[in-house]
Amino acid sequence: QKEVEQDPGPLSVPEGAIVSLNCTYSNSAFQYFMWYRQYSRKGPELLMYTYSSGNKEDGRFTAQVDKSSKYISLFIRDSQPSDSATYLCAMSARNTGTASKLTFGTGTRLQVTL
Amino acid sequence: DTAVSQTPKYLVTQMGNDKSIKCEQNLGHDTMYWYKQDSKKFLKIMFSYNNKELIINETVPNRFSPKSPDKAHLNLHINSLELGDSAVYFCASSPHPLGGTTYEQYFGPGTRLTVT
């Protein structure tokens, strides 16, 4: 079993829809949670990060963490065609020292249609 | 003004050859990483260097050898290339914990390696 599980999709939604992307994890040492967005043939870019259970909002994006269920989500409101990309969740056991070993999910491909 | 750059962008080579990929960052970050992304988009860390010192070394065949001549550069040399090495290799960098967070990693555009 992988440490981080993520539905690969593809997920196709109409413009303006609310999108829900999810990851589950098995390692209870994970404390820091991130969402990266990767456009086709590009490198991943950090969208959001959080380290506590609960919600964190940034514009149209909301990250939600439930450590008791080992479950994280990313919600996208009013989705746009420009949101079409692969979304990768990532987790880290701790953020001390000089480097973080991130464990990534396999990514969910999202397509927002006009 | 590219933050993390990699060369080459594409690399096609035959089994058994030796090749290198170069990475440079102009963000002033202390830590750099190499990741491998397979055909199923799974991204896995290979190595990390902090200020020229190796600090993360995952279970990677020793045909892969990273080298960091200075903290702005991290190169990856691969000996005796195999078909299974075909993947996209990403370089990333992150700031020192005092100036940011190390999970705030900035990725390069990737090098698509095809071994035939």
Side-chain angles (χ1 to χ4, degrees):
Chain A
Q1 186 196 2
K2 287 197 174 109
E3 280 189 290
V4 180
E5 298 278 359
Q6 187 175 6
D7 188 335
L11 180 62
S12 184
V13 301
E15 185 179 6
I18 295 175
V19 176
S20 171
L21 303 164
N22 312 296
C23 287
T24 58
Y25 62 96
S26 56
N27 187 347
S28 43
F30 287 144
Q31 297 177 29
Y32 300 91
F33 305 92
M34 292 126 262
W35 285 95
Y36 281 80
R37 178 175 62 196
Q38 185 176 19
Y39 290 113
S40 182
R41 306 234 165 202
K42 301 283 186 189
E45 55 176 322
L46 180 64
L47 268 181
M48 296 191 73
Y49 67 86
T50 184
Y51 56 86
S52 55
S53 280
N55 293 352
K56 181 177 179 180
E57 196 173 313
D58 184 1
R60 297 185 295 112
F61 298 91
T62 299
Q64 190 176 78
V65 174
D66 181 347
K67 287 186 181 179
S68 61
S69 303
K70 296 194 183 68
Y71 188 88
I72 69 169
S73 299
L74 178 71
F75 297 97
I76 307 174
R77 285 185 300 282
D78 187 25
S79 55
Q80 303 294 310
S82 58
D83 295 328
S84 298
T86 296
Y87 290 80
L88 300 151
C89 63
M91 309 181 185
S92 176
R94 59 180 183 165
N95 188 31
T96 58
T98 51
S100 285
K101 182 184 159 187
L102 299 186
T103 301
F104 281 84
T106 48
T108 299
R109 193 155 61 89
L110 172 67
Q111 179 92 28
V112 181
T113 56
L114 290 168
Chain B
D1 244 15
T2 308
V4 182
S5 59
Q6 294 178 229
T7 53
K9 200 165 181 181
Y10 299 96
L11 188 51
V12 181
T13 188
Q14 291 184 326
M15 279 174 56
N17 284 350
D18 303 339
K19 290 293 177 188
S20 290
I21 307 171
K22 295 181 186 244
C23 178
E24 176 181 358
Q25 54 96 2
N26 61 8
L27 298 166
H29 289 169
D30 287 340
T31 307
M32 296 183 74
Y33 308 78
W34 277 113
Y35 285 87
K36 179 180 179 181
Q37 188 172 47
D38 63 23
S39 57
K40 293 184 179 172
K41 293 281 195 179
F42 184 57
L43 197 62
K44 189 164 167 41
I45 191 167
M46 300 172 70
F47 303 102
S48 176
Y49 270 75
N50 177 260
N51 205 7
K52 302 194 294 177
E53 184 185 343
L54 180 67
I55 47 175
I56 293 177
N57 185 351
E58 289 295 287
T59 309
V60 175
N62 54 17
R63 298 181 295 104
F64 290 80
S65 50
K67 276 198 173 57
S68 181
D70 55 61
K71 74 173 194 176
H73 295 85
L74 180 61
N75 304 324
L76 183 66
H77 187 76
I78 316 170
N79 289 327
S80 304
L81 277 155
E82 300 178 357
L83 292 176
D85 297 333
S86 296
V88 182
Y89 292 84
F90 286 101
C91 175
S93 72
S94 63
H96 189 277
L98 291 178
T101 56
T102 53
Y103 48 65
E104 198 174 331
Q105 295 182 16
Y106 295 82
F107 284 77
T111 296
R112 188 170 294 268
L113 171 66
T114 303
V115 182
T116 61

